[in-house]
Amino acid sequence: LKVLSRIDSILQSPRAPPSIFRPSKGPVQNYIKENGQGCGFEHLPLTIEMWADQLVALKDLHRSLRKLSLELLPWNTKDPQDNRESIRVEDLQLIVDAILEELEHKEKNSQTQSLQTLSAIVSHFQKLFDVNSLNGVYPRMNEVYTKLGEMTNAMRNLHELLELDSSAPPTVVVDTVGKLCDIINKNVTEQVQQLLGTQDIHSIINKLEEHECFFPPFQALIQDLLCLLEISNVDDILPAVQNLK
């Protein structure tokens, strides 16, 4: 009876869960009350077993939260509850609150750092591409994007024309174009030498100087003959002079 009285006082406590007390129904209830046995507590053993399992699970949950706390808060190694046999919900709540506080702090710092990083990126872009104001950043970005597309297409076409691998860097393209220019210039020089009948650059210069001295008077003479003979074609000069004999 003392045990039942103690249980009854616990159940009547404001902190007791309302679902613990389940009064019996029917004649069995009166019989139990008269004999002082039970008072609707027949289900308590199952409830106590469930509580025992929950207390064991509470310890496992505490152990898991401690591992998570050590991962997120490695500097917080002190835990006064480690040596306790009984773990309270309040202990778990403290660990969860500490983790949430640290996560909120990290989120605020990450947002601030992100804004600083974005500001640094924009400033660096302005310096690289000579943009004086924030309003000019987007137009210059579009311009850079357009120029980049043009350069990419030009490089792709040069790779194809020069039969180079698509992975060849721009320096290789420039070197190849330079070699082609050297070959073309060499061929042009050889053709000029063959045309002028000399292999000496000084002779070429002399012939050009002679040409400059001879050609203007000759051209003036031809123009005078065309006017005197009243013709317009150089090929008609000789027949017109022969007709004058």
Side-chain angles (χ1 to χ4, degrees):
L1 291 175
K2 291 182 179 180
V3 174
L4 293 176
S5 177
R6 176 62 177 163
I7 293 175
D8 187 62
S9 65
I10 294 174
L11 297 179
Q12 291 179 2
S13 171
R15 299 179 59 187
S19 62
I20 286 184
F21 179 70
R22 298 177 184 174
S24 301
K25 297 180 181 180
V28 179
Q29 180 182 7
N30 297 329
Y31 173 79
I32 292 175
K33 286 184 178 180
E34 291 174 359
N35 290 274
Q37 298 177 357
C39 201
F41 307 140
E42 295 85 356
H43 67 290
L44 281 181
L46 294 177
T47 303
I48 294 173
E49 289 179 2
M50 180 192 69
W51 285 356
D53 293 338
Q54 292 298 312
L55 289 175
V56 174
L58 203 63
K59 292 182 179 180
D60 295 336
L61 179 60
H62 178 264
R63 191 178 302 109
S64 299
L65 286 176
R66 282 292 300 149
K67 290 181 180 179
L68 179 61
S69 176
L70 291 175
E71 288 291 333
L72 297 177
L73 313 172
W75 57 87
N76 187 14
T77 57
K78 295 181 180 180
D79 187 1
Q81 309 301 332
D82 281 345
N83 297 325
R84 275 194 181 185
E85 293 184 359
S86 61
I87 303 298
R88 300 177 302 175
V89 176
E90 291 84 350
D91 304 330
L92 305 181
Q93 188 64 46
L94 287 175
I95 298 176
V96 173
D97 290 342
I99 293 174
L100 290 176
E101 184 178 357
E102 178 63 20
L103 291 177
E104 291 176 357
H105 181 69
K106 284 185 176 180
E107 184 178 357
K108 291 180 180 178
N109 288 341
S110 63
Q111 290 178 353
T112 304
Q113 184 177 5
S114 177
L115 291 175
Q116 293 176 350
T117 303
L118 290 175
S119 177
I121 291 174
V122 172
S123 298
H124 188 61
F125 181 88
Q126 288 181 266
K127 291 179 180 178
L128 287 178
F129 298 100
D130 193 22
V131 182
N132 297 325
S133 64
L134 291 177
N135 294 331
V137 170
Y138 281 111
R140 185 57 57 87
M141 281 185 176
N142 294 332
E143 182 182 351
V144 171
Y145 178 78
T146 302
K147 294 295 183 182
L148 179 61
E150 294 176 355
M151 293 299 297
T152 301
N153 292 333
M155 291 299 296
R156 185 185 301 112
N157 293 334
L158 286 174
H159 279 91
E160 294 177 357
L161 291 174
L162 300 175
E163 297 181 354
L164 295 175
D165 188 80
S166 59
S167 61
T171 53
V172 175
V173 177
V174 173
D175 291 341
T176 305
V177 173
K179 291 177 181 178
L180 287 176
C181 291
D182 291 339
I183 293 173
I184 293 173
N185 291 334
K186 184 178 180 180
N187 291 337
V188 170
T189 302
E190 291 178 353
Q191 291 176 1
V192 171
Q193 291 175 349
Q194 293 176 359
L195 178 64
L196 299 178
T198 179
Q199 302 296 323
D200 186 4
I201 187 66
H202 295 290
S203 299
I204 296 175
I205 295 174
N206 293 333
K207 287 184 175 294
L208 290 175
E209 291 177 349
E210 292 175 358
H211 178 270
E212 290 180 355
C213 294
F214 168 77
F215 185 75
F218 177 77
Q219 184 180 17
L221 175 63
I222 295 300
Q223 290 296 331
D224 291 340
L225 288 174
L226 292 175
C227 292
L228 289 172
L229 299 174
E230 296 180 354
I231 56 178
S232 58
N233 195 345
V234 177
D235 294 336
D236 297 333
I237 292 177
L238 185 58
V241 172
Q242 290 178 344
N243 291 333
L244 292 175
K245 291 182 178 180

